[in-house]
């Protein structure tokens, strides 16, 4: 009986952790937090590629991808189909960069080109849905949601 209780408790704790990890952005604050994670991790991508520390770059790309996936949910919840499409495009381009960085021998030029394409998807979304603040950070444009 004690063993059953221990296993049940462990399962409940594991499932609670999974739910906490799986939560996606639904509020503007959660979206902004996800975008800050993208920005921070993206800096590591460029630095890793430039210094040929491809494992580090790949770790940063995974963080960018996870944050973008969290942020995508915000657009789904707010029924912004074009923003969802932009998010999917950004995630696809990040996945392509992941593939390049996973090659046995990484082509640095290809990695930089793929990173630039990722940046292009970010720029497109920022033009449509984001506004740059005086402190050079970004916020959701007023009236978007």
């Amino acid at each position: 009986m004690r063993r059953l209780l221990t296993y049940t408790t462990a399962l409940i704790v594991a499932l609670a952790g999974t739910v906490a990890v799986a939560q996606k952005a639904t509020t503007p604050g959660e979206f902004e937090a996800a975008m800050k994670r993208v920005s921070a991790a993206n800096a590591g991508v460029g630095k890793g590629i430039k210094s040929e520390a491809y494992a580090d770059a790949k770790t940063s790309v995974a963080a960018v991808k996870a944050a973008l996936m969290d942020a995508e949910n915000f657009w789904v919840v707010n029924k912004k189909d074009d923003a969802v499409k932009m998010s999917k495009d950004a995630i696809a381009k990040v996945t392509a960069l992941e593939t390049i960085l996973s090659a046995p021998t990484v082509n640095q030029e290809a990695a930089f080109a793929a990173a630039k394409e990722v940046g292009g998807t970010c720029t497109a979304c920022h033009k449509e849905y984001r506004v740059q603040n005086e402190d050079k950070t970004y916020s959701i444009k007023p009236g978007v949601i």
Side-chain angles (χ1 to χ4, degrees):
M1 182 69 171
R2 189 174 287 187
R3 188 176 291 169
L4 177 62
L5 180 59
T6 301
Y7 288 136
T8 304
T9 302
L11 179 62
I12 290 169
V13 168
L15 289 175
T18 301
V19 169
V21 169
Q23 288 180 334
K24 305 287 185 182
T26 57
T27 67
E30 292 168 344
F31 175 80
E32 295 298 342
M35 290 291 93
K36 286 179 182 175
R37 291 193 320 269
V38 168
S39 180
N42 196 46
V45 173
K47 182 179 176 184
I49 294 170
K50 184 176 182 179
S51 65
E52 297 182 11
Y54 300 122
D56 294 343
K58 189 175 171 186
T59 298
S60 293
V61 166
V64 168
K65 186 175 182 179
L68 284 173
M69 292 171 77
D70 288 347
E72 177 186 16
N73 190 66
F74 175 78
W75 299 121
V76 171
V77 168
N78 287 286
K79 297 176 176 54
K80 294 290 184 181
D81 294 338
D82 56 333
V84 171
K85 184 179 179 307
M86 287 181 198
S87 291
K88 289 187 183 309
D89 187 35
I91 293 166
K93 291 193 187 310
V94 168
T95 301
L97 177 55
E98 267 183 324
T99 301
I100 290 167
L101 293 171
S102 297
T105 303
V106 175
N107 178 328
Q108 188 180 41
E109 285 184 37
F112 274 129
K116 186 175 180 178
E117 286 193 30
V118 171
T121 61
C122 295
T123 299
C125 188
H126 278 222
K127 283 182 178 178
E128 187 71 26
Y129 289 105
R130 311 278 278 152
V131 62
Q132 191 171 26
N133 303 316
E134 289 181 19
D135 64 357
K136 304 295 183 194
T137 61
Y138 286 87
S139 300
I140 298 171
K141 279 185 182 175
V144 164
I145 54 169

